[in-house]
Amino acid sequence: MNEFDLIREYFSWPSEDSDVVLGVGDDAAVVNVPTDQQLVMSTDTLIEGVHFSAQADPRDIAHKALAVNLSDIAAMGGQAKCFTLALSLPEIDKRWLGEFSSSLNELAGRYQVSLVGGDTTRGALSITINVIGLVESGSALKRSGASPGDGIYVSNTIGSAAYAWWQLNNDQKPSEENLERLHRPTPQLELGRALNGLASACIDISDGLEQDLGHILDCSNVGAIIELEDLPLDEELSDHVKRTSDYSIALCGGDDYELCFSMPKKRREWLLKRTRELNVRTTRIGEITKSLGMEIKGYSNNSSSYQHFK
Ligand SMILES: [Mg+2]
């Protein structure tokens, strides 16, 4: 099987998007861009041994490779449009490719994002996806823009994926739901769109709340007070915190791909209305402050993990 056969068999899906003038199969793709919109682009690479193990399910790998890119478009308040895939494979394994391809196709279909091109090479297993989204001109959500007094919010629960990972490495069985959160994260694209015009700054949580919120604070030149008690944790992680008083997974655990955003107080009613419509939970966890740094309130004991956050 040569490269052309491989692309034809596994990565040539008809696009239902009439803006995709030319997709896979030419020297480059051609996509219409509406005149009042801007492109939002993001790239992420997953490498075997770094981001996933050799035994990882190819369906999980495909899902995560696309989902993490879509999550970046969500964080910008954009609408995902299309993507390219660069795949490096040590050998042609038809079962692996079949499962990888069908999982990628499924997630792409769910968010109506078209695969418009890519490249395959022989080498160590790695997947690079470049996602292109659209946003109304001048309205992309950024990390800068948070102002003192704005509320700080996160979507759904945080630390769930990291707790599943921690459990796997500590001979414990994660809940099915948290395993799903770890292996097949949900990009918050609908929420990101809804936040466009509401949020003052936004980021997706890939490296952990503390670090990613830190990027918003740095870029906006502000600080924050976070209330530990208010962090939305799932039941398993909440039990773990009660047992250990250790918030490190909740604060520093990555891989959630939830959104963290700031928003002026006066828009709270709008947020509640929109999130009810979308059936997404958002929780206020603190407030943006003028004084720089991140103050984490509610840490009652002097566990070593506290120092980590100062
Ligand atoms: Mg990101």
Side-chain angles (χ1 to χ4, degrees):
M1 183 180 262
N2 64 32
E3 184 189 1
F4 306 111
D5 294 334
L6 190 153
I7 290 170
R8 203 176 308 117
E9 183 154 350
Y10 297 105
F11 299 109
S12 296
W13 314 320
S15 171
E16 285 168 18
D17 186 344
S18 58
D19 286 334
V20 177
V21 181
L22 205 52
V24 173
D26 213 300
D27 289 304
V30 180
V31 181
N32 290 329
V33 181
T35 47
D36 55 348
Q37 307 211 345
Q38 291 174 315
L39 299 179
V40 189
M41 292 177 272
S42 174
T43 301
D44 248 308
T45 297
L46 300 189
I47 297 171
E48 184 187 292
V50 179
H51 302 97
F52 58 89
S53 73
Q55 295 79 38
D57 185 330
R59 290 166 299 188
D60 290 342
I61 300 170
H63 181 108
K64 197 155 185 174
L66 181 55
V68 301
N69 277 285
L70 293 175
S71 177
D72 280 327
I73 301 295
M76 304 301 291
Q79 182 180 0
K81 186 75 173 166
C82 55
F83 70 104
T84 59
L85 165 73
L87 190 57
S88 164
L89 295 164
E91 57 180 356
I92 291 177
D93 176 340
K94 290 189 174 182
R95 183 194 65 84
W96 193 97
L97 274 165
E99 291 180 0
F100 180 90
S101 159
S102 72
S103 174
L104 195 66
N105 192 353
E106 189 190 315
L107 186 64
R110 198 183 306 165
Y111 294 103
Q112 295 168 324
V113 50
S114 307
L115 175 60
V116 295
D119 186 30
T120 56
T121 42
R122 196 172 282 263
L125 181 58
S126 86
I127 301 111
T128 296
I129 286 182
N130 179 28
V131 175
I132 297 166
L134 294 173
V135 70
E136 290 74 28
S137 293
S139 76
L141 297 174
K142 290 173 278 190
R143 295 176 179 187
S144 57
S147 297
D150 287 356
I152 301 167
Y153 296 80
V154 292
S155 58
N156 298 305
T157 62
I158 55 165
S160 301
Y163 188 54
W165 177 248
W166 182 87
Q167 286 183 299
L168 289 174
N169 288 292
N170 286 276
D171 295 321
Q172 295 180 25
K173 196 175 177 313
S175 68
E176 280 300 314
E177 205 183 332
N178 283 357
L179 264 186
E180 181 90 4
R181 296 279 304 268
L182 176 65
H183 294 309
R184 302 204 183 185
T186 302
Q188 296 298 326
L189 280 162
E190 291 94 348
L191 177 62
R193 292 295 290 156
L195 291 177
N196 205 318
L198 286 178
S200 50
C202 187
I203 193 167
D204 65 323
I205 305 176
S206 52
D207 298 324
L209 175 69
E210 195 213 17
Q211 191 169 324
D212 289 319
L213 174 58
H215 293 312
I216 287 186
L217 303 185
D218 288 345
C219 293
S220 302
N221 198 29
V222 290
I225 294 179
I226 298 298
E227 303 279 350
L228 272 185
E229 292 268 292
D230 294 340
L231 298 181
L233 309 180
D234 66 71
E235 221 173 293
E236 283 82 12
L237 181 52
S238 183
D239 287 346
H240 169 83
V241 166
K242 276 186 201 128
R243 279 195 309 272
T244 61
S245 301
D246 183 0
Y247 278 89
S248 58
I249 293 173
L251 285 166
C252 301
D255 280 342
D256 283 317
Y257 300 99
E258 295 297 340
L259 296 182
C260 174
F261 58 97
S262 59
M263 191 186 69
K265 281 189 186 109
K266 61 181 184 215
R267 295 183 190 152
R268 193 160 184 181
E269 284 304 310
W270 275 103
L271 177 70
L272 291 173
K273 184 172 176 290
R274 292 295 288 128
T275 51
R276 256 198 309 271
E277 286 163 2
L278 293 173
N279 202 19
V280 179
R281 178 177 158 200
T282 55
T283 307
R284 188 182 185 281
I285 59 165
E287 191 169 305
I288 297 290
T289 59
K290 200 172 169 203
S291 59
L292 303 182
M294 198 186 304
E295 186 184 339
I296 297 171
K297 283 173 78 174
Y299 233 119
S300 52
N301 76 344
N302 271 333
S303 71
S304 57
S305 49
Y306 181 61
Q307 299 304 323
H308 186 74
F309 310 125
K310 287 196 88 169

